[in-house]
Amino acid sequence: MTTTRELREAAGEEPITMLTAYDATTARLIDDCGIDILLVGDSMGTEALGYDSTLPVTVEEVESRTAAVARGSDNALVVADMPFLSVGVDESETIRNAGRMLKEADADAVKLESGPHTVDVTERLTQLGIPVMAHLGLTPQHINQLGGYTRQGTTEAAAEEILSLARAHEAAGAFALVLEHVPANVAAQVTDDLDIPTIGIGAGGDCDGQVLVIDDVLGLSEEAPPFAEQFGDVRAAMTDAIEAYKAAVDDGEFPTAEHSHIEAGLDDLS
Ligand code: KIV
């Protein structure tokens, strides 16, 4: 079982691998492959729940998916991604929402899309025994301010702000930091500066670890961001299987005797 302490110790020693998962079956497959962290990302909104963005995702949806992922995994650290407006509005509500992920859904930690507003929250949750993964750079819950899923930290001032917020979250107790869609040279400096591991997505190869959305890795997404890599073609494999099933039913080739069961004495029902 991977722990937040092991991850902190792994920083700079061996690459950390993280993938998103939203259900028990996928979590089991990922866990069996030896991936270190399963992130129950709020990307479930667009990848699994049919929303146009991550904003509509609810605490209940993340909690339910996190519980499924935790049931499907034995070894990976399970991190629940706190959805839009579930943290930072009110302190006791924040603690209740984050606490639910550990108490009810069996997560090992939570991730917060971070900014100046999450430094105190990170400290409070950590004090209470809720490990926090921070997330800087592109934070999709701010899409309405950002105006698009664009590269962040591209000016000196913006890059300095990322570094200073990274330091603040480390000091507040975060055990790891996701850096999303930032220049590789900025991510490298943040990684160098911090003791906690950085986990990059679109942040170059110098982070301590990498994360991708599972649907992008499998080739299941309808569209993927430019920094993602498709390592399989599951969409094509699923389409082939579904079409083959439909054709077999249409042509009377499925089910066969092998899939059926005949009970003696039941041929003459009135
Ligand atoms: O929700 C998510 O999947 C994420 C990752 C992209 C880091 O936050």
Side-chain angles (χ1 to χ4, degrees):
M1 159 75 203
T2 310
T3 63
T4 56
R5 188 190 175 133
E6 281 168 357
L7 289 171
R8 289 182 77 128
E9 286 166 5
E13 298 296 323
E14 51 193 271
I16 296 168
T17 50
M18 174 157 106
L19 282 173
T20 66
Y22 318 112
D23 63 77
T25 307
T26 312
R28 167 76 54 218
L29 285 167
I30 298 173
D31 196 48
D32 286 348
C33 291
I35 297 291
D36 299 307
I37 309 175
L38 285 163
L39 172 65
V40 192
D42 66 351
S43 50
M44 70 176 70
T46 49
E47 305 305 315
L49 300 175
Y51 299 137
D52 287 337
S53 75
T54 58
L55 300 194
V57 175
T58 64
V59 171
E60 287 71 24
E61 284 165 339
V62 175
E63 184 184 340
S64 157
R65 296 286 176 146
T66 300
V69 167
R71 286 191 291 270
S73 95
D74 293 326
N75 297 309
L77 189 87
V78 175
V79 179
D81 203 7
M82 298 309 297
F84 184 51
L85 297 184
S86 65
V87 292
V89 177
D90 169 80
E91 186 178 278
S92 44
E93 198 187 331
T94 298
I95 295 167
R96 219 177 3 260
N97 287 338
R100 272 171 73 169
M101 299 304 165
L102 273 70
K103 279 174 80 98
E104 323 289 336
D106 208 17
D108 300 305
V110 298
K111 177 171 83 61
L112 313 184
E113 286 196 10
S114 310
H117 62 294
T118 54
V119 177
D120 290 350
V121 170
T122 298
E123 185 165 15
R124 185 79 184 113
L125 292 177
T126 305
Q127 280 167 351
L128 289 169
I130 302 176
V132 173
M133 176 180 278
H135 179 164
L136 293 169
L138 174 60
T139 48
Q141 290 172 15
H142 286 84
I143 181 68
N144 287 318
Q145 274 139 330
L146 299 173
Y149 298 106
T150 50
R151 210 171 272 132
Q152 302 297 306
T154 53
T155 63
E156 196 173 337
E160 291 288 1
E161 195 188 2
I162 289 174
L163 178 58
S164 128
L165 283 172
R167 288 176 177 148
H169 283 82
E170 176 175 68
F175 72 91
L177 168 68
V178 170
L179 286 170
E180 181 166 355
H181 216 3
V182 299
N185 50 337
V186 173
Q189 288 171 79
V190 174
T191 302
D192 231 31
D193 196 81
L194 300 188
D195 288 330
I196 59 171
T198 58
I199 302 177
I201 173 162
D206 288 320
C207 293
D208 296 302
Q210 296 293 324
V211 55
L212 282 176
V213 166
I214 185 66
D215 299 54
D216 297 341
V217 168
L218 298 178
L220 192 54
S221 312
E222 278 181 73
E223 45 178 322
F227 49 74
E229 176 74 24
Q230 183 180 327
F231 291 87
D233 198 354
V234 169
R235 197 175 182 82
M238 285 178 77
T239 304
D240 287 351
I242 295 162
E243 285 177 354
Y245 160 75
K246 179 175 172 3
V249 173
D250 287 348
D251 298 346
E253 288 168 5
F254 178 84
T256 63
E258 177 195 341
H259 306 106
S260 311
H261 161 84
I262 292 180
E263 197 65 48
L266 295 182
D267 290 330
D268 200 12
L269 302 181
S270 57

